[in-house]
């Protein structure tokens, strides 16, 4: 509570002026003194740093530590630049990463126990009759056997090697000498042993031994003697008996007909023609037709191939039987294989050229015989042969029969082969990528002697083909041989009958479904039995 004295003092204060109050501007004005001093101090530091930096930059620019080393070579300025380069290079090399061996955790040691443990955790034991793969230690309850029991039978697969005898192959598989000779005689009575192809697998089942040291007797034996014959040897009433099992075979030829398109080879392969048949087709027609100029993309090719299918599912592709080029639904050229020699004849009964020269590669000629400017040497000189366009690796064929009298590297020719023919003629093949014949080897007409390449003085893959008469080079295009075989009247009649039969074959008829042979149907064999029991004899 205010006292009386306080009330008197308040009463004595004059009331002419209001109480003093400060505005916001006055407060701000009074507080500006300290920031101004700080700003002046900061400005002086910034100016000092700027002047120092300018001074240092001026000194460094005058020092010229990185001059152009292409000027004033040998001067002090140039040496200063070299010192800078050496210093920076040393710093870079000092930071070069090392190539020390990276340390890693040591590999886990895997012994038989650990391997068995891993195997027990795999899915493989489930396919082996719940075999866990664990090895259990023997206990006192285990009693050792006096002798381990043998399997009642053993299944083997023996292969007839090249030059091997049938009985010798059986003895190598564990068959006794007496039974091996007996089985060989039985098989020889059904089919000639020389006709059995090398590499033929023979399934053999050996029975229980009569004595501990005696060989196992043969319980059963089977193999494919021919494409249409399966031979089985079985033991009946203690005696071995041969049981021939003929296999049903469909011999309908395979006929393929389609449009030539951009490439006859690719079109034929796309239509399902075997590669060997396409090669025979091209070589057969190449002697009478220019495959590059006389065949249009809209033409059709027609080929018939010897084709056999077994009821067991195997397929055997034979030789080309018929070849034709069709234009506007009319055959432009027809060739058919006829006779024991397997020679091709056209529809008029004239044989194709079997002797003489053929084109070494199925390609067009890019450069002919005569003077020309050499593409590499750059001056005009004699081009003593024909250049054929061909891709790298294209097979090169011998123009006709002869003997190789040079095979190897030959200067600018690169890999070179020279063949001597009859009548003083020889042919040469240059720039090969690989040679397929040896010096002194006899070659047949159309045999592959090498492959197209670009060895020697060559600008790209092609074949340089030369011809020599009595050792002197001649124009290969000037030599032609036309020797055709002629059919007799009786042969001509048989030829036309066979041609009519082939032309009656429908395209794709040989690819129709073939009914399985009931006699060859067998019970399915468990995969576990095949894996565990079958052994291979080398």
């Amino acid at each position: 509570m205010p006292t009386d004295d306080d009330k008197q003092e308040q009463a004595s204060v004059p009331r002419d002026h209001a109480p003093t109050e400060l505005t916001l501007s006055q407060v701000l004005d009074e507080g500006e003194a300290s920031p101004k001093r700080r700003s002046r101090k900061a400005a002086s530091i910034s100016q000092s740093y700027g002047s120092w930096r300018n001074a240092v930059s001026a000194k460094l620019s005058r020092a010229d530590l990185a001059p152009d080393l292409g000027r004033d070579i040998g001067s002090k300025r140039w040496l200063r630049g070299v010192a800078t380069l050496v210093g920076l290079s040393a710093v870079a090399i000092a930071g070069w990463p090392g190539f020390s061996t990276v340390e890693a955790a040591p590999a886990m040691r895997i012994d038989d126990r650990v391997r068995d443990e891993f195997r027990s955790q795999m899915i493989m034991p489930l396919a082996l009759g719940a075999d866990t793969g664990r090895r259990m230690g023997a206990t006192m309850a285990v009693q050792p056997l006096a002798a381990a029991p043998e399997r009642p039978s053993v299944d083997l697969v023996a292969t007839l090697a090249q030059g091997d005898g049938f009985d010798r192959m059986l003895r190598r598989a564990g068959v006794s000498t007496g039974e091996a000779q007996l089985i060989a005689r039985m098989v020889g009575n059904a089919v000639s042993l020389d006709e059995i192809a090398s590499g033929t697998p023979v399934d053999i089942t050996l029975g229980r031994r009569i004595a501990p040291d005696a060989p196992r007797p043969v319980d059963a034996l089977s193999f494919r003697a021919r494409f249409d014959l399966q031979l089985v040897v079985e033991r009946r009433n203690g005696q071995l008996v041969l049981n021939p099992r003929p296999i049903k075979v469909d011999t309908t030829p395979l006929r393929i007909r389609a449009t030539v398109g951009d490439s006859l080879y690719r079109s034929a392969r796309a239509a399902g023609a075997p590669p060997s048949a396409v090669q025979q087709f091209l070589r057969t027609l190449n002697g009478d037709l220019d495959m590059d100029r006389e065949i249009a993309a809209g033409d059709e090719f027609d080929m018939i191939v010897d084709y056999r299918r077994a009821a067991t599912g195997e397929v055997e592709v034979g030789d080309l039987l018929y070849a034709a080029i069709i234009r506007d639904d009319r055959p432009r050229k027809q060739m058919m294989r006829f006779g024991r020699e397997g020679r091709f004849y056209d529809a008029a009964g004239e044989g194709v050229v079997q002797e003489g020269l053929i084109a070494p590669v199925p390609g067009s000629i890019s450069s002919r015989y005569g003077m020309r400017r050499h593409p590499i040497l750059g001056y005009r000189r004699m081009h003593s042969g024909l250049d054929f366009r061909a891709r790298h690796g294209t097979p090169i064929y011998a123009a006709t029969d002869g003997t190789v009298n040079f095979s190897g590297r030959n200067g600018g020719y690169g890999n070179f082969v020279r063949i001597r023919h009859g009548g003083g003629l020889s042919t040469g093949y240059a720039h090969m990528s690989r040679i397929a014949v040896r010096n002194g080897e006899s070659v047949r007409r159309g045999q592959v002697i090498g492959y197209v390449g670009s060895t020697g003085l060559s600008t790209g893959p092609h074949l340089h083909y030369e011809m020599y008469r009595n050792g002197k080079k001649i124009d290969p295009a000037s030599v032609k041989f036309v020797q055709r075989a002629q059919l007799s009247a009786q042969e001509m009649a048989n030829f036309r009958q066979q041609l009519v039969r082939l032309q009656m074959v429908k395209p794709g008829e040989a690819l129709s479904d073939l009914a399985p042979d009931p006699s060859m149907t067998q019970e399915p064999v468990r995969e576990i039995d095949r894996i565990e029991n079958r052994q291979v004899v080398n």
Side-chain angles (χ1 to χ4, degrees), residues 367 370-384 387 412-413 431 455-459 462 464:
S367 181
M371 295 296 297
R372 69 165 188 177
R373 183 180 180 85
H374 197 278
I376 296 179
L377 301 179
Y379 58 87
R380 289 179 60 82
R381 73 172 190 172
M382 187 65 181
H383 183 243
S384 57
D387 287 346
Y413 287 109
H431 306 312
T455 55
L457 289 178
S458 173
T459 58
H462 72 286
H464 177 77

Side-chain angles (χ1 to χ4, degrees), residues 256-260 264 267-268 271 281 299-303 324-325:
I256 300 174
R257 180 172 176 175
T259 305
V260 172
L264 192 152
S267 299
F281 183 92
D299 295 344
E300 292 182 311
F301 64 88
D302 190 4
M303 67 174 65
I325 295 295

